[in-house]
Amino acid sequence: MTENTDEVAETDGGDVTREEASFVEYGIEDKPPLGESIFLGLQHYLTMVGASVAVPLILAAEMGMPAWATAQLVGTFFVVSGISTLAQTTVGNRYPIVQGGSFALLAPALAIIAATSGGWEASLLEIQGAVIAAALVQVFLGYSGLLGRATKYLSPVVIAPVIVLIGLSLVGTADVTRVNQNWWLLGLTLFLIVLFSQYLDSYSRYAKLFPVLLGIATAWIFAGAMTVLGVYTEESHMLPTDKSLGYIDFGEIANATLVQPIVPFQWGMPEFTAAFAIGMLAGIFASIVESIGDYYAVARIAGVGAPSQKRINHGIGLEGLSNIFAGIMGTGNGSTSYGENVGAIGITGVASRYVVQIGAIVMLIVGFFGPFGALITTIPSPIVGALYIAMFGQIAAVGLSNLKFVDLDASRNVFIVGIALFLGLAIPEYMANVGAAAADIEGMTTTAYFQQEVMADTPLFGSVLGTQVVSDTIYVIGSTAMAVGGLIAFFLDNTIKGTREERGLAQWDRLAEDESEFQTVFDRLRSSDDSTVAETAD
């Protein structure tokens, strides 16, 4: 177990040194007892339940999948998440980050669905092919080292707004802001998480380690009791009341298939269309930016050095392989690092890689078990909303903490951070408004891509949108807050005059891990072989 003692934060010369986070209960290399690790790992996965269930449900609804296929799709997401997380924590960047379906890939996936005829099977096979093809580029960028070399141009002035925007990206999500929100249930969940993590943590070790799990379980049981008592009821109309937002349909669990046959190419062989692959590539780029931000965030929370180029290369390369694997398994989406998991580390102080691996094994197994997936989908929206508030608020604060290395008296830094944050929030909002306008014109309820007829009339895009590929690419990147903010901050920070000390690079270099500190699986195998040879020689 990691001792809760801080290392010296400053030397006599005023240089910043690595500082171990005082709240970390279990460090990256620590291995808690197995029984405890199972619950800690489950807690990590429960924090991402909103996204891990929302993505397949959105895809299934848009494709018109039948109930049995939807349940199998959710299970497939769990299985792919479990295997991808094990791979990332073992042979990838080896950070304790959960891997799962990406919202960045959702927009191009929905565009493919809208452009494909032939039923849900045809749409899903086209999405699978697009994900696999686009992921090949991600694998090349990672393992070729090109992406890592580009990170030398990343300073805290760039990374801080990216992480902050990851934290603020779900501010407007319906799980939090819907007009008919069940604030009683959301407030109860949030109150319990705050109670366990901030007030009772010094009195109870369980409250310190399991604040999210205890908060979710208690609120979930409360919602179930209100459902049984008839306080929370199922509504049949399109806009549910606040009561229906706490309703739990126990019938979904009872009717679930006991064992789901989740195998490669379960829906058929993927189809490859160049235009779809290019559109999906925009989502891959947005996902890469988000993942790099997550790497820096988890390193900052866990109190370890900023990730080296070598670690970033292997992390992104492995995510590319995981995307290919997701395409083969047929999730209709890819795999990326989950910010919710990073936020959970900040709240619980559990940064153990071993814990995340145990959780991944649990999710891999239960993914084949239909009733478990059905049980997870019954978590009411207000409980998920409370999770978002707690988790993503924590991530935003972690992003701001990176500014401690930056000279905030330098006007260039304040300007860059401010404009990156504002445009990182404003441009995606603009994209959403354009999409809504297109939806109204087309008579649709939702849209995830530009209607070119609408965009052609806008002053900015009228002269550049010649193809659907261009419009989809602009939409995906422009709709992703961390991609917009990151690209703007990256450009300004590397073009506006500023010293390395002002930008925080000088102090960050002293904190960053050396390239030799991160050992790939091949390095570890080579070291093991050398040790064996040396022992034999002795």
Side-chain angles (χ1 to χ4, degrees):
M1 183 184 299
T2 302
E3 296 182 0
N4 292 337
T5 56
D6 292 342
E7 296 181 9
V8 178
E10 294 186 358
T11 65
D12 293 337
D15 294 335
V16 177
T17 61
R18 290 192 192 175
E19 179 183 356
E20 175 136 292
S22 60
F23 64 87
V24 173
E25 184 71 14
Y26 289 114
I28 292 180
E29 303 294 337
D30 291 333
K31 293 185 177 182
L34 179 59
E36 191 174 278
S37 294
I38 292 176
F39 286 101
L40 289 172
L42 181 61
Q43 179 174 245
H44 269 290
Y45 269 87
L46 283 178
T47 62
M48 54 172 274
V49 67
S52 60
V53 173
V55 172
L57 290 183
I58 291 172
L59 289 173
E62 289 296 321
M63 290 186 292
M65 293 183 75
W68 68 268
T70 300
Q72 190 164 319
L73 185 65
V74 172
T76 303
F77 266 74
F78 285 137
V79 170
V80 170
S81 174
I83 294 176
S84 298
T85 301
L86 285 174
Q88 186 68 277
T89 56
T90 305
V91 300
N93 59 33
R94 307 195 75 228
Y95 276 148
I97 302 181
V98 173
Q99 305 291 299
S102 173
F103 275 107
L105 303 187
L106 188 58
L110 294 179
I112 293 173
I113 293 172
T116 305
S117 59
W120 65 268
E121 297 97 333
S123 297
L124 192 51
L125 294 178
E126 287 285 4
I127 295 172
Q128 289 178 237
V131 169
I132 292 173
L136 291 173
V137 177
Q138 186 177 14
V139 173
F140 171 76
L141 290 175
Y143 288 118
S144 68
L146 291 176
L147 193 64
R149 284 195 286 271
T151 60
K152 68 180 180 180
Y153 300 104
L154 295 178
S155 77
V157 179
V158 178
I159 292 300
V162 169
I163 299 176
V164 170
L165 288 169
I166 291 174
L168 299 181
S169 61
L170 292 180
V171 164
T173 183
D175 287 323
V176 177
T177 61
R178 67 175 77 238
V179 67
N180 56 321
Q181 179 63 272
N182 184 341
W183 288 109
W184 293 105
L185 185 56
L186 185 149
L188 172 65
T189 309
L190 185 59
F191 167 77
L192 290 169
I193 293 175
V194 173
L195 177 67
F196 290 125
S197 65
Q198 304 300 321
Y199 293 101
L200 300 181
D201 59 320
S202 59
Y203 300 98
S204 170
R205 185 167 181 272
Y206 294 105
K208 178 178 178 59
L209 292 177
F210 302 103
V212 176
L213 185 61
L214 291 172
I216 293 176
T218 304
W220 205 351
I221 292 172
F222 174 81
M226 292 297 99
T227 298
V228 172
L229 294 174
V231 178
Y232 293 161
T233 59
E234 183 178 15
E235 299 292 334
S236 59
H237 49 78
M238 293 298 293
L239 184 63
T241 66
D242 57 353
K243 290 184 178 182
S244 70
L245 286 177
Y247 175 79
I248 295 179
D249 187 358
F250 295 104
E252 292 183 7
I253 304 172
N255 296 330
T257 303
L258 185 60
V259 179
Q260 300 177 137
I262 299 173
V263 295
F265 306 114
Q266 57 188 319
W267 316 113
M269 292 300 296
E271 298 288 338
F272 295 92
T273 302
F276 293 161
I278 295 173
M280 189 63 69
L281 187 59
I284 291 290
F285 284 138
S287 174
I288 289 174
V289 174
E290 182 178 1
S291 292
I292 292 176
D294 286 332
Y295 297 171
Y296 278 92
V298 75
R300 180 88 182 99
I301 292 176
V304 297
S308 63
Q309 293 183 23
K310 190 176 181 182
R311 191 187 294 271
I312 291 175
N313 285 333
H314 279 264
I316 297 301
L318 198 283
E319 285 192 20
L321 293 177
S322 295
N323 281 327
I324 294 174
F325 176 66
I328 291 173
M329 294 300 294
T331 62
N333 198 267
S335 180
T336 190
S337 297
Y338 263 33
E340 294 92 328
N341 162 236
V342 179
I345 294 174
I347 290 179
T348 65
V350 178
S352 167
R353 179 194 306 118
Y354 176 75
V355 163
V356 172
Q357 291 171 335
I358 293 296
I361 293 173
V362 172
M363 296 307 293
L364 170 60
I365 294 173
V366 300
F368 293 94
F369 186 58
F372 179 83
L375 177 66
I376 293 297
T377 61
T378 64
I379 297 180
S381 169
I383 295 180
V384 175
L387 280 176
Y388 284 157
I389 294 172
M391 300 297 111
F392 282 81
Q394 179 80 14
I395 295 171
V398 169
L400 292 175
S401 71
N402 282 278
L403 295 177
K404 68 181 289 186
F405 307 113
V406 173
D407 181 4
L408 291 178
D409 290 328
S411 61
R412 66 160 325 261
N413 292 337
V414 176
F415 175 81
I416 293 172
V417 172
I419 198 171
L421 289 175
F422 190 92
L423 290 179
L425 294 172
I427 290 180
E429 185 67 19
Y430 167 74
M431 297 296 184
N433 290 337
V434 172
D440 290 340
I441 291 174
E442 295 296 324
M444 300 186 302
T445 57
T446 60
T447 186
Y449 61 98
F450 283 146
Q451 298 295 322
Q452 285 182 258
E453 295 82 357
V454 176
M455 292 307 299
D457 294 332
T458 63
L460 177 61
F461 295 104
S463 61
V464 298
L465 291 186
T467 66
Q468 188 67 46
V469 170
V470 175
S471 60
D472 289 344
T473 301
I474 294 175
Y475 178 81
V476 172
I477 295 177
S479 298
T480 308
M482 61 287 300
V484 173
L487 290 172
I488 291 172
F490 180 84
F491 173 78
L492 294 177
D493 186 47
N494 286 280
T495 55
I496 298 176
K497 184 178 180 180
T499 66
R500 290 182 63 82
E501 286 72 18
E502 285 178 329
R503 299 168 64 194
L505 284 170
Q507 296 192 61
W508 210 347
D509 285 345
R510 289 189 285 270
L511 286 170
E513 65 178 1
D514 187 80
E515 292 294 322
S516 62
E517 290 186 55
F518 172 69
Q519 287 193 321
T520 68
V521 64
F522 305 108
D523 294 333
R524 298 197 300 275
L525 289 174
R526 191 180 303 113
S527 298
S528 176
D529 290 341
D530 291 342
S531 299
T532 302
V533 171
E535 291 176 1
T536 303
D538 292 340

